[in-house]
Amino acid sequence: MRTRLLAALLACWAALPVAGAAELTGTLKKIKDSGVISLGHRESSVPFSYYDDKQQVVGYSRDLQQKVVEAVKKELNLPNLQVKYTPVTSQNRIPLIQNGTVDLECGSTTNNLERQKQVDFTTTLFVVGTRLLTKKDSGVKDFADLKGKNVVTTAGTTSERLIRAMNDEKKMGMNIISAKDHGESFLTLESGRAVAFMMDDALLAGERAKARKQDEWVILGTAQSKEAYGCMLPKGDAAFKKLADGAIAAALKTEGEAIFKKWFQSPIPPKGVNLGLPLSDDMKELYKSPNDKAFQ
Amino acid sequence: MYEFDWSSIRPGLPFLWKGMKVTLYITLVAMAAGIALGTVLAILRMAKNRALAWLSAAYVNTFRSIPLVMVILWFFLLLPAVIERIFSISRQEDTRLTTALVTFSLFQAAYYAEIIRAGIQSVKSGQMGAALALGMTNGQAMRLVVLPQAFRNMAPLLLTQTIILFQDSSLVYVASLADFFGVAGIIGTRDGRQVELYLFAGAVYFVACFILSSLVKRWQNRLKGHA
Amino acid sequence: MHNWRWEVFLEPAQGGSGATYLDWVLVGLRMTAAVSLCSWVIALLWGSLMGIFRTYPSKLLYGLSTAYVEVFRNIPLLVQLFLWYFVAPEVAPLGLGAWFKQLHPNLQLFVASMLCLGFFTGARITEQVRAGIESLSRGQKAAGLAMGFTLPQTYRHVLLPMAFRIIIPPLSSECVNLVKNSAVASTIGLMELAYQGRQLVDYTAQSYESFIAVTALYVALNLLILLFMRWVEKKARVPGFMGGGGR
């Protein structure tokens, strides 16, 4: 709204839109006209989207994002398509899609109905459950054991809302710490400020890999919710969504398990640790029949 | 006891240097633009025209009474749309760096202005009178006589303010722009080595600022010796 | 056009408990005031002690206080805050870190912010105090000693009372700076004014209203401090010194 007001006020500066190529609309037209696609990525969402030591964006979601870029190149017949990378955070990722700074964001963003009011999501990349990371000898076996303890989670996530609601409803008397990002959450856990860290299990595996002694930590507890990660793209851009959906679905069917193995069951950059996450039933199902459904 | 593990720093150096370049870029641009605008503000503040003097005072006092964190939040809310229009760059461009440059230039100008005003006042009265008696116009007297001397006197103070600016630029953190400290955070978060990276960042800032401020201090003493 | 909705402050905040968004802002204001006040006490006491050391004829004390000032002035406040909150508890000796980490999370944030702001501001006050003492003529110290005072007594009864009166104006601007600097504590999650302002934006999407409210409160706090310090200055003025009449 505000942006539109300013746009109107300052219209004298605006460059006239370039007369369009036939048929193309929305994002695809913008990409064709400018020869540039703008990709959103995370900086430290291991192993979905993060920087390696050469400051290249790597990760599971990044690999699938690349499939979409290939498809765009082919569709628009643009072999020299330039790719622009914009790092996003959990706070600014939705506004950046909405205002057109980013054409496609692939990281660890949950597809849910609330967000669907603001952006569209592609075919699901990954399915996670929200669980707990804790020390093996902490005595915590499930959520019920957290009564009266310090628990950490990352601000602005589904887990934060779930655990706050649980705390209120069941009067568990937990002290909930909301850290700024997953790395800070894990630091809070590892340094002993909290006994458990609630988050999506795949991200917990990514954080556990940073520990000095990986095998001291376990992921456990009943999953409090299922989350479907998808790439975000601008709302209501059917042509772009169809292209992206198709590219991701094809990749998941043919090489989904191989990409999974590469990021979750093999040594990954920058330190060559292995996350050792087993392939879940939900993931097997997803690779068999890719879809873009949200769980909530 | 905590077991330090510094192994993330060496491979991260190229990335850290990239962040340091952002920090230096913000510092240098904001210094140049801030001193230029600060000089204008300082001269306006002493103008005969009441309205201009008042405007300049309002500008300086407003910026000086709001926390930098809030100023950054304000500018990142308002500026991106304006910048896009003025420079007519497309939505795809990342305007965060430009926003940071504008924010710090405007903010620092308020602080530079106060230093420059004091500098001008310290040479003004007699020198100005002499220059005017020689037949110079007000503008000429200011440009040719007063400002050169004022700048020579206050150069150390301006540099000290620039060191503060160099430190303050780390606050672009709240807009998640990857300056030196931001990159240290990214690497630390990615590798689970925040403790080491924060210590390293602190050490780098300390060494850089300590050397710079020692040099400034020495220069200041030499100027005093001359006077 | 921006859809102004000032009534948003009177709406009940999300998360139950019946508090309004205005209550959130007031909680933040109280936190800003509390953390600023506590840090100010630390800064004043510690800064005065270090300032005395800076002028004291002892190599050890001089070196100690100089090192303190250099370290705390040459590292950005934001970095210092992260060092206090994330690093200090890991490296603190005597099990102090482990003890600290078992405190209530909000108390940890408060203590870390308070110590950080206190010692950061303390380094600046050190320099003010030193300048204040050095601005007194050497005669004052000699006179104190000649009257039979010991050196600490001379500081206590002669030098400090004068020095402090002289440095009230720079101290008041340090106090204003402290309140402004406290906004940095929002980065580690201390629920002070700036933090609550950003929370409000997240929850209500009324960015302008929340930022305007928060900014206005900071300005009001600053004015309050300046008025108070001006009153202190008037009360403490030494007749016949500094022109008496002020500016």
Side-chain angles (χ1 to χ4, degrees):
Chain A
M1 281 309 207
R2 280 160 244 143
T3 328
R4 224 174 277 161
L5 164 74
L6 276 165
L9 278 176
L10 301 164
C12 42
W13 280 300
L16 282 169
V18 186
E23 292 171 44
L24 287 177
T25 53
T27 311
L28 287 174
K29 173 172 157 33
K30 190 177 82 174
I31 295 171
K32 177 88 182 173
D33 290 345
S34 61
V36 179
I37 183 168
S38 173
L39 302 182
H41 66 86
R42 303 300 293 268
E43 294 174 317
S44 50
S45 220
V46 182
F48 290 97
S49 177
Y50 64 102
Y51 286 127
D52 68 4
D53 263 332
K54 291 172 214 94
Q55 301 148 54
Q56 301 295 317
V57 188
V58 295
Y60 176 90
S61 304
R62 164 75 194 120
D63 281 355
L64 291 167
Q65 193 175 33
Q66 190 54 36
K67 303 287 177 199
V68 179
V69 174
E70 297 303 329
V72 169
K73 274 187 191 170
K74 214 161 145 203
E75 172 81 14
L76 299 180
N77 196 18
L78 278 176
N80 298 322
L81 179 66
Q82 275 185 46
V83 180
K84 231 193 101 251
Y85 294 95
T86 304
V88 303
T89 66
S90 41
Q91 284 93 37
N92 69 13
R93 56 190 170 186
I94 290 179
L96 287 175
I97 288 279
Q98 284 180 311
N99 73 17
T101 307
V102 170
D103 299 325
L104 181 73
E105 188 267 356
C106 301
S108 47
T109 309
T110 299
N111 174 3
N112 61 35
L113 298 178
E114 196 192 323
R115 286 181 181 150
Q116 282 180 16
K117 290 179 202 152
Q118 310 173 61
V119 292
D120 276 345
F121 285 88
T122 62
T123 299
T124 299
L125 307 173
F126 205 92
V127 179
V128 295
T130 44
R131 304 174 68 202
L132 293 172
L133 179 63
T134 184
K135 227 179 192 150
K136 258 190 190 140
D137 55 11
S138 69
V140 173
K141 295 282 169 264
D142 209 335
F143 284 86
D145 303 324
L146 296 176
K147 275 200 181 110
K149 303 229 162 85
N150 288 2
V151 182
V152 65
T153 183
T154 308
T157 59
T158 325
S159 293
E160 188 191 22
R161 266 185 286 153
L162 287 171
I163 197 155
R164 285 193 187 279
M166 183 193 297
N167 204 17
D168 289 348
E169 279 161 23
K170 301 193 179 159
K171 308 241 175 307
M172 293 174 71
M174 294 182 277
N175 294 320
I176 296 163
I177 308 171
S178 295
K180 185 180 67 357
D181 52 43
H182 304 317
E184 204 180 295
S185 296
F186 183 65
L187 181 65
T188 308
L189 174 72
E190 195 185 23
S191 66
R193 286 179 158 161
V195 293
F197 170 17
M198 176 176 178
M199 190 39 57
D200 307 344
D201 50 15
L203 288 172
L204 290 179
E207 292 304 319
R208 178 176 60 180
K210 302 171 184 175
R212 284 167 174 71
K213 296 191 184 95
Q214 245 197 89
D215 48 10
E216 272 185 4
W217 304 92
V218 281
I219 298 169
L220 47 70
T222 325
Q224 295 298 303
S225 70
K226 262 198 237 174
E227 314 266 327
Y229 289 169
C231 294
M232 285 194 290
L233 34 76
K235 191 162 174 55
D237 192 336
F240 187 40
K241 177 167 159 52
K242 193 175 155 217
L243 184 69
D245 278 348
I248 293 172
L252 290 181
K253 268 189 191 155
T254 54
E255 47 185 321
E257 289 199 27
I259 304 180
F260 183 92
K261 212 169 230 155
K262 175 178 166 196
W263 292 104
F264 291 93
Q265 298 176 342
S266 323
I268 57 166
K271 300 226 147 170
V273 288
N274 186 333
L275 303 195
L277 190 77
L279 186 65
S280 66
D281 292 339
D282 289 319
M283 288 305 295
K284 279 181 200 155
E285 186 57 36
L286 177 71
Y287 290 146
K288 221 180 287 163
S289 48
N291 60 77
D292 68 350
K293 287 203 184 55
F295 286 106
Q296 61 267 329
Chain B
M1 196 61 210
Y2 189 83
E3 299 164 42
F4 286 100
D5 170 5
W6 303 96
S7 64
S8 287
I9 289 177
R10 186 185 263 278
L13 284 179
F15 195 8
L16 286 163
W17 173 238
K18 207 166 145 189
M20 182 51 94
K21 280 196 284 193
V22 172
T23 298
L24 291 175
Y25 187 50
I26 295 176
T27 307
L28 294 177
V29 170
M31 175 178 80
I35 290 179
L37 179 57
T39 310
V40 174
L41 285 168
I43 293 173
L44 287 183
R45 184 79 183 264
M46 291 177 277
K48 297 231 165 55
N49 185 328
R50 279 282 182 77
L52 286 179
W54 185 86
L55 268 179
S56 161
Y59 179 99
V60 170
N61 290 334
T62 305
F63 273 107
R64 289 176 70 104
S65 58
I66 303 175
L68 179 52
V69 169
M70 286 311 297
V71 173
I72 294 174
L73 291 175
W74 266 117
F75 274 68
F76 274 80
L77 174 70
L78 294 173
L79 265 188
V82 179
I83 290 175
E84 278 163 19
R85 289 292 140 177
I86 294 178
F87 301 108
S88 65
I89 47 181
S90 84
R91 278 283 180 191
Q92 287 193 351
E93 294 302 321
D94 186 357
T95 51
R96 282 183 300 172
L97 183 60
T98 323
T99 306
L101 292 176
V102 175
T103 308
F104 276 89
S105 301
L106 295 181
F107 181 79
Q108 289 296 326
Y111 285 79
Y112 284 124
E114 286 296 274
I115 298 173
I116 295 169
R117 184 165 70 111
I120 293 176
Q121 277 168 345
S122 73
V123 283
K124 204 177 170 194
S125 50
Q127 301 272 351
M128 194 76 178
L132 292 177
L134 281 170
M136 289 188 187
T137 64
N138 241 325
Q140 283 172 327
M142 192 54 111
R143 208 175 62 235
L144 300 173
V145 179
V146 177
L147 281 182
Q149 295 184 68
F151 270 105
R152 214 190 59 133
N153 294 344
M154 67 203 174
L157 283 179
L158 290 176
L159 281 177
T160 305
Q161 182 60 36
T162 305
I163 296 173
I164 295 174
L165 158 63
F166 174 68
Q167 295 188 13
D168 280 350
S169 68
S170 60
L171 284 174
V172 294
Y173 181 87
V174 300
S176 46
L177 187 66
D179 71 325
F180 176 65
F181 187 62
V183 169
I186 291 170
I187 296 178
T189 307
R190 183 195 64 194
D191 294 353
R193 295 294 174 271
Q194 289 98 327
V195 169
E196 289 83 354
L197 264 297
Y198 292 153
L199 276 171
F200 176 73
V204 169
Y205 275 113
F206 174 73
V207 170
C209 296
F210 180 72
I211 292 174
L212 279 174
S213 57
S214 305
L215 290 177
V216 171
K217 218 174 278 165
R218 199 179 290 174
W219 189 16
Q220 208 163 13
N221 288 337
R222 246 202 358 227
L223 279 182
K224 264 187 207 148
H226 275 291
Chain C
M1 187 59 210
H2 178 63
N3 183 15
W4 291 100
R5 285 206 317 117
W6 287 100
E7 64 272 21
V8 71
F9 289 109
L10 301 177
E11 289 165 8
Q14 282 177 45
S17 74
T20 62
Y21 287 114
L22 180 66
D23 293 331
W24 282 23
V25 176
L26 294 179
V27 165
L29 179 65
R30 213 175 318 153
M31 184 61 90
T32 293
V35 81
S36 302
L37 200 66
C38 294
S39 331
W40 182 244
V41 172
I42 295 178
L44 212 51
L45 293 176
W46 183 254
S48 306
L49 184 69
M50 287 291 131
I52 294 168
F53 285 0
R54 288 278 272 158
T55 61
Y56 215 75
S58 150
K59 275 235 165 81
L60 176 71
L61 295 183
Y62 176 82
L64 210 74
S65 51
T66 308
Y68 160 68
V69 170
E70 292 298 345
V71 169
F72 283 80
R73 282 213 311 193
N74 285 317
I75 299 177
L77 178 60
L78 178 69
V79 182
Q80 290 190 29
L81 185 64
F82 277 60
L83 292 175
W84 278 106
Y85 184 64
F86 291 113
V87 179
E90 302 304 323
V91 297
L94 307 174
L96 220 59
W99 170 78
F100 177 79
K101 287 188 284 191
Q102 293 316 310
L103 297 176
H104 189 280
N106 290 343
L107 190 58
Q108 292 182 32
L109 288 168
F110 185 86
V111 172
S113 309
M114 171 186 84
L115 292 175
C116 172
L117 289 164
F119 286 105
F120 177 83
T121 312
R124 293 149 163 276
I125 292 183
T126 301
E127 287 304 273
Q128 310 284 10
V129 171
R130 178 187 63 91
I133 295 174
E134 284 177 353
S135 74
L136 301 174
S137 68
R138 294 183 151 264
Q140 300 231 5
K141 186 168 158 190
L145 292 173
M147 283 177 66
F149 282 148
T150 61
L151 189 55
Q153 282 174 330
T154 310
Y155 268 96
R156 163 77 184 74
H157 297 290
V158 182
L159 299 178
L160 290 181
M162 286 302 284
F164 271 109
R165 287 186 171 111
I166 294 172
I167 62 170
I168 287 174
L171 279 187
S172 57
S173 77
E174 280 312 326
C175 191
V176 169
N177 283 339
L178 171 60
V179 174
K180 286 193 284 173
N181 285 334
S182 71
V184 173
S186 62
T187 55
I188 57 168
L190 183 74
M191 295 178 177
E192 46 71 76
L193 206 43
Y195 181 90
Q196 297 294 57
R198 292 171 79 181
Q199 285 282 98
L200 230 68
V201 175
D202 278 353
Y203 279 78
T204 67
Q206 301 298 118
S207 347
Y208 290 83
E209 288 86 341
S210 10
F211 281 5
I212 289 174
V214 165
T215 309
L217 285 172
Y218 274 114
V219 174
L221 268 182
N222 287 345
L223 285 177
L224 216 65
I225 294 169
L226 284 179
L227 286 177
F228 175 73
M229 289 305 259
R230 198 160 289 172
W231 176 78
V232 171
E233 200 180 335
K234 215 176 246 169
K235 286 273 157 192
R237 193 164 283 148
V238 186
F241 206 82
M242 289 164 55
R247 285 183 281 169

